[in-house]
Amino acid sequence: MNCQRVRQIFPELLDSRTSATQVPSGSTGTIEEARAHLASCPDCQREFARLSQTMQALDTLPIAPPSGRLRRDFYAMLEEEKHSAESVRAAAERQYRVRRAAMWRWVLSPLAACALVAAGFFAGRKVTPMAPAPATSSPDAVALQQQIKQLQDQVSNMGTLVSYSLLQQQQRPANDRLRGVMSSATLENPSDRAINDLISAVAFDSSPNVRLRALEALYPHAEQDVVRAGVLASLGREQNPLVQVSMIDFLAAANDVEARPALEKISVSVASDENVRNAARRALTQF
Amino acid sequence: MGPPANPLAPGNLPMVNRARAATTVESATEQRPDHALMLAVRGGELDALGELFERHHGRLFGFLVKLTGDRTAAEDISQIVFQRMLKYRHTYRDDGSFTAWMYHLARRCAADHFRRASAAPHAIDPSALHDHADDAPHAAHHATTRDDHALLHAALARLDHGDREVLLLSRFQELSFAEVAGILECSVGAAKVRAHRAMHALRDIYFNLQSTRTGQGKIP
């Protein structure tokens, strides 16, 4: 690289925006080559020093600050503009736009939420795999199908009865409802209807005492799937920590492995009461 | 006799101080970037221009003093630049750079100023800018420094207007060459070539003036 080419690159060397290896425009050499030449050429060093000195003098050339007139005139102009008709109108329009945007937010938010729910519903219907075709080949499978069918019918009946019972019970005083639960508990062979009453009391009664007593009454029938399923379903909607702990103890005593996922969730939920979490952890160790 | 009245005293200019006080409080809590402030101005929050003025008017004024060689003209042009920012605030783009836009406006305003002037911008006589060194003891160094500044002013004044413009813009390190090229309305390569040519030209004029001063003891 000769002196002429290197001197073309001098401005690049003095520019902090130029990267170390960038090829400058209009030149065939690189910054690194120019630096290498500069280190060994006294003439170029002298020229570079003069250019550098000039630019440094230009960059550091002191300029006294402007007079106060500039600031005064500027703020006077700004104030005048703020009070001009156009600015006042623009400010009013801006406020109107802000208000309108807020109003649209109020309107659109619920609509968007509904649309999201609907989209989720339809998406869920689309992606949910179809139920596998029932295996009708073996007798065991047929028996299992029948059991499941019976269980489904029982659950369905239970739902109807629970609703009915709920309506009935909630209209009576708590003492009456408690007495009803206790009378059901004293039966040696309670009917399905009585069991359903107890489950519905556990699930829906407004009194924690009634729910606890009904749960206690269900202990002798914990071997029934429908009982364990009812208690497990009730656990999800239960808010009272005392009743929650009792329900967890019930499921643990019944060794209901179906309850494991729900208990695991409760055991780590920060929203749950500490005693409830501990009960869930304790129950999990018992399975 | 009491002290002279301060033209910026609160009693005299409440609106000025209100805006500045608001600016101070805002900057203490949150330093909004220039671009956000200008977008706010565009959206109708005119007080945000006060913050931009406080940040940039000094440097803009310095640029214009070097460009015009005239402090009074530089003040007038600075005022016009901020006036145009207000007037044309709706043209500020979402993807714009405030600094580049400001110097773009400044260049246009300076061009208008030169066009209005009956003659081309006159070179500043260094002796009119600064007093000569006095005979006081130890003043030699200060006199030399002042003379160097005067020499540089003279060298800038002798530079072609276009060269002076591109050189001053290119020395602002916060402007990329792409932005300089945008302000000058030319390609990046052309902006670089022009800036480099202007640097060499200024160096030659500056050192010629220095050698003349050394040889003759007076700046021509």
Side-chain angles (χ1 to χ4, degrees):
Chain A
M1 183 176 277
N2 60 29
C3 293
Q4 190 184 353
R5 283 182 181 169
V6 169
R7 289 175 192 184
Q8 286 175 349
I9 302 174
F10 279 174
E12 302 278 356
L13 292 177
L14 288 170
D15 194 335
S16 63
R17 288 165 294 199
T18 306
S19 64
T21 56
Q22 186 181 344
V23 179
S25 60
S27 174
T28 54
T30 64
I31 297 290
E32 291 305 320
E33 283 176 289
R35 286 202 176 113
H37 175 92
L38 194 59
S40 60
C41 178
D43 286 344
C44 287
Q45 285 173 7
R46 192 166 47 250
E47 287 294 313
F48 183 73
R50 292 177 70 172
L51 190 65
S52 174
Q53 187 185 339
T54 308
M55 290 305 110
Q56 194 178 358
L58 178 64
D59 292 343
T60 58
L61 183 63
I63 301 290
S67 69
R69 180 177 70 94
L70 178 59
R71 177 175 279 115
R72 195 167 55 241
D73 289 352
F74 167 76
Y75 282 107
M77 174 196 73
L78 188 61
E79 202 68 18
E80 189 181 345
E81 179 67 21
K82 278 161 65 178
H83 291 101
S84 71
E86 188 182 347
S87 294
V88 169
R89 191 168 58 248
E93 282 176 3
R94 188 157 51 101
Q95 278 191 340
Y96 172 72
R97 279 199 302 273
V98 169
R99 276 202 302 269
R100 195 173 54 182
M103 188 185 74
W104 275 111
R105 266 200 301 277
W106 277 103
V107 172
L108 289 178
S109 298
L111 289 177
C114 291
L116 199 62
V117 169
F121 175 74
F122 286 113
R125 285 187 59 155
K126 283 210 167 209
V127 300
T128 302
M130 297 296 289
T136 55
S137 53
S138 72
D140 291 343
V142 173
L144 187 63
Q145 287 292 325
Q146 285 175 347
Q147 279 186 348
I148 290 172
K149 183 77 172 61
Q150 284 176 352
L151 202 58
Q152 283 175 339
D153 290 343
Q154 280 184 338
V155 169
S156 176
N157 289 336
M158 186 192 76
T160 309
L161 290 168
V162 159
S163 303
Y164 174 73
S165 176
L166 177 69
L167 281 173
Q168 277 194 328
Q169 287 198 11
Q170 297 306 314
Q171 290 165 357
R172 291 187 292 153
N175 283 340
D176 289 354
R177 302 200 303 272
L178 191 59
R179 264 198 299 276
V181 167
M182 289 174 75
S183 64
S184 297
T186 53
L187 296 174
E188 289 204 358
N189 291 310
S191 63
D192 288 346
R193 171 72 184 268
I195 295 287
N196 287 330
D197 285 348
L198 290 171
I199 292 173
S200 67
V202 169
F204 301 112
D205 198 284
S206 57
S207 166
N209 289 331
V210 175
R211 297 202 296 276
L212 282 172
R213 189 67 191 88
L215 185 67
E216 195 179 332
L218 284 171
Y219 261 90
H221 315 290
E223 80 281 357
Q224 293 186 31
D225 290 341
V226 69
V227 171
R228 294 198 304 274
V231 174
L232 181 57
S234 305
L235 178 60
R237 64 190 306 279
E238 181 60 55
Q239 298 295 323
N240 188 309
L242 187 63
V243 184
Q244 283 178 316
V245 170
S246 298
M247 287 175 168
I248 291 168
D249 289 344
F250 177 94
L251 293 167
N255 200 20
D256 186 7
V257 290
E258 299 289 330
R260 181 183 283 274
L263 293 178
E264 284 172 347
K265 194 174 170 186
I266 292 171
S267 67
V268 295
S269 169
V270 291
S272 301
D273 185 86
E274 188 181 353
N275 294 319
V276 177
R277 288 202 299 271
N278 289 335
R281 291 191 195 108
R282 195 170 57 242
L284 286 168
T285 60
Q286 292 178 18
F287 287 146
Chain B
M1 190 173 175
N6 181 2
L8 291 177
N12 292 345
L13 276 171
M15 58 191 182
V16 172
N17 290 279
R18 257 204 321 273
R20 295 182 68 193
T23 301
T24 310
V25 170
E26 186 180 323
S27 61
T29 55
E30 181 189 6
Q31 185 82 357
R32 283 197 285 177
D34 295 343
H35 183 60
L37 284 171
M38 193 58 222
L39 287 177
V41 173
R42 191 184 71 178
E45 190 190 329
L46 300 189
D47 280 335
L49 193 65
E51 175 73 23
L52 289 168
F53 174 84
E54 296 300 336
R55 285 185 194 175
H56 293 283
H57 81 277
R59 187 165 291 197
L60 175 69
F61 174 73
F63 166 74
L64 290 167
V65 168
K66 289 175 185 173
L67 187 66
T68 62
D70 183 346
R71 288 179 57 85
T72 307
E75 278 192 11
D76 291 343
I77 297 171
S78 299
Q79 172 75 11
I80 294 169
V81 169
F82 283 100
Q83 202 173 5
R84 288 195 183 180
M85 281 181 193
L86 267 183
K87 188 176 178 183
Y88 300 115
R89 58 185 182 267
H90 58 277
T91 65
Y92 186 74
R93 296 202 313 262
D94 288 334
D95 59 343
S97 154
F98 173 75
T99 315
W101 190 58
M102 181 177 71
Y103 284 111
H104 173 77
L105 290 176
R107 180 172 175 259
R108 290 290 177 87
C109 294
D112 290 346
H113 165 79
F114 289 132
R115 231 187 338 266
R116 276 196 305 269
S118 57
H122 61 281
I124 298 298
D125 184 357
S127 61
L129 280 172
H130 300 282
D131 293 337
H132 282 297
D134 55 26
D135 294 325
H138 312 298
H141 172 72
H142 297 293
T144 306
T145 307
R146 282 204 305 270
D147 284 351
D148 283 343
H149 294 161
L151 271 181
L152 196 56
H153 274 294
L156 273 173
R158 291 184 182 197
L159 206 59
D160 173 74
H161 173 71
D163 286 350
R164 192 163 63 239
E165 192 176 57
V166 68
L167 178 60
L168 293 175
L169 285 173
S170 68
R171 295 309 296 172
F172 287 119
Q173 297 295 307
E174 71 264 32
L175 285 177
S176 69
F177 256 108
E179 288 174 326
V180 173
I183 294 169
L184 297 172
E185 296 168 344
C186 65
S187 69
V188 174
K192 279 192 174 183
V193 169
R194 285 172 62 185
H196 296 172
R197 191 179 61 203
M199 285 170 74
H200 288 296
L202 181 69
R203 179 200 58 191
D204 292 344
I205 297 170
Y206 183 56
F207 276 91
N208 279 341
L209 288 174
Q210 268 193 342
S211 58
T212 306
R213 182 184 65 178
T214 308
Q216 299 177 0
K218 185 179 175 191
I219 299 167

